[in-house]
Amino acid sequence: MARALQLPGSNSVLAAHPSLTWRQGPYTWTVATKNGQSIYSVTNGKKTLSLPIRWAFGAHAQTWVFKRNGRFYQSDVSYYPEEKGLRTTIGETDSVPHNLDEAIGNRLSPLVARECFACHSTNGVSKRQHLTLSTLHPGVSCSRCHQGALRHAEYASLGSNAVNPPNLSALSSEEMASFCGQCHRTFSTVIRHRWRGVIDVRFQPYRIELSQCFNGTDPRISCVACHDPHKPLVTSLVWYDKKCLACHAPDARPTSTGKARVCPVSTSHCVRCHMPRVTLPGSHTQFTDHFIRIVKPGAPYPD
């Protein structure tokens, strides 16, 4: 999360790929990086528009944001590690540009721009919900989640514990889902926007709350029960088995609704069957579906 937003000169992805090109229809996009500066360009063969990349969103796959005529724009193409190059930015795959002004990227509304920076940076949005780039710290640092962390550190250096951040460990599973959902989207946000279909596989708090075993109080099915936000994401499927067996082992403590069922098939690689990987069209990657369930082969995506 520390690299959720990167600035010119510190972008490891672009530094490792100094020359990127993607062609689609009459347009060709390029991202050229030299001496810590990256220039994003699009041409139709007759005319070219070029702008410096100001902000890179994403630690692995990256979408770029720049300013044009005083407005924020999102790049029409992004870098995808699975493709080792550029492809159309997710959400733009059904949009066909009719001219260079459209091909350069998607103009972001002030609200969308604020939400992007709020989730990918620290202190990028004021308490009054205004975008404040002057105080922005790239990436998600301590104070993004632990409000008052800097003041706490200052007081602690003086030997005082007069100021302490809120105790997030005291949050219930439902409260934690809402807290993480500030960026990963809450159940109510998905319902309110009427997002339906495979697109919502990205919204983990919403998906996990669909699970029959989620009751909002059991800490064994909380976001932080499986994921430590202070450490890199664990990608080993076997590692998560002990998390599942905390409820589904024969000697596990009962849940609020009774004894959890024990899987008659296996006690290994649980998430492979019960939390399938889903390919999101246009994303060039797969997402783990956090809707925990018995997945039947050939069954449609459950929403």
Side-chain angles (χ1 to χ4, degrees):
M1 293 192 293
R3 293 185 293 138
L5 177 67
Q6 300 177 58
L7 302 180
S10 62
N11 192 319
S12 58
V13 171
L14 292 181
H17 303 85
S19 181
L20 295 166
T21 302
W22 173 247
R23 181 180 178 83
Q24 189 171 46
Y27 303 104
T28 300
W29 290 265
T30 61
V31 177
T33 300
K34 185 178 180 180
N35 298 326
Q37 296 295 315
S38 298
I39 303 298
Y40 171 87
S41 303
V42 61
T43 182
N44 59 6
K46 298 178 180 179
K47 184 180 178 181
T48 300
L49 292 179
S50 299
L51 290 161
I53 291 176
R54 299 279 298 275
W55 303 275
F57 286 75
H60 304 291
Q62 278 194 0
T63 299
W64 304 293
V65 170
F66 47 86
K67 270 195 166 183
R68 185 180 184 219
N69 300 326
R71 300 292 187 91
F72 290 102
Y73 278 76
Q74 172 186 277
S75 59
D76 211 49
V77 296
S78 300
Y79 173 80
Y80 294 96
E82 291 79 4
E83 304 293 343
K84 298 181 180 179
L86 303 179
R87 294 294 187 274
T88 304
T89 299
I90 183 174
E92 302 297 325
T93 52
D94 295 329
S95 176
V96 179
H98 298 91
N99 51 56
L100 279 180
D101 287 327
E102 292 182 4
I104 193 70
N106 177 34
R107 192 175 77 181
L108 302 177
S109 69
L111 174 60
V112 170
R114 187 190 72 192
E115 290 180 342
C116 292
F117 282 100
C119 289
H120 286 262
S121 71
T122 302
N123 294 330
V125 176
S126 70
K127 292 182 178 179
R128 295 185 177 183
Q129 297 302 301
H130 295 151
L131 185 58
T132 53
L133 298 180
S134 60
T135 61
L136 177 147
H137 177 82
V140 179
S141 61
C142 301
S143 57
R144 173 61 184 86
C145 296
H146 302 280
Q147 295 183 8
L150 294 180
R151 289 190 63 201
H152 168 71
E154 291 173 0
Y155 275 83
S157 67
L158 300 174
S160 171
N161 61 354
V163 176
N164 289 307
N167 182 12
L168 299 183
S169 65
L171 296 179
S172 67
S173 298
E174 184 172 8
E175 291 168 335
M176 185 62 73
S178 295
F179 183 84
C180 298
Q182 293 176 86
C183 293
H184 294 276
R185 304 299 190 271
T186 64
F187 190 96
S188 60
T189 298
V190 174
I191 295 300
R192 185 170 64 253
H193 287 276
R194 298 181 180 179
W195 289 323
R196 288 292 182 271
V198 70
I199 186 67
D200 63 31
V201 73
R202 296 185 300 161
F203 309 141
Q204 297 88 351
Y206 164 73
R207 297 300 288 175
I208 199 169
E209 289 193 45
L210 292 176
S211 306
Q212 183 177 352
C213 50
F214 185 89
N215 61 18
T217 59
D218 196 322
R220 293 173 294 180
I221 188 168
S222 163
C223 301
V224 294
C226 294
H227 303 298
D228 186 339
H230 306 105
K231 297 179 180 179
L233 177 69
V234 177
T235 57
S236 168
L237 299 185
V238 177
W239 186 87
Y240 292 97
D241 289 340
K242 59 181 179 291
K243 305 298 182 180
C244 301
L245 296 176
C247 292
H248 293 277
D251 58 348
R253 175 172 54 85
T255 68
S256 62
T257 57
K259 188 70 174 178
R261 294 175 61 185
V262 176
C263 181
V265 177
S266 177
T267 57
S268 178
H269 294 83
C270 305
V271 298
R272 179 176 292 169
C273 293
H274 299 285
M275 299 177 68
R277 300 276 285 173
V278 176
T279 299
L280 180 61
S283 71
H284 305 279
T285 190
Q286 291 185 320
F287 291 81
T288 297
D289 188 357
H290 282 61
F291 180 5
I292 303 169
R293 63 192 187 278
I294 297 175
V295 181
K296 298 180 179 180
Y301 179 80
D303 206 355

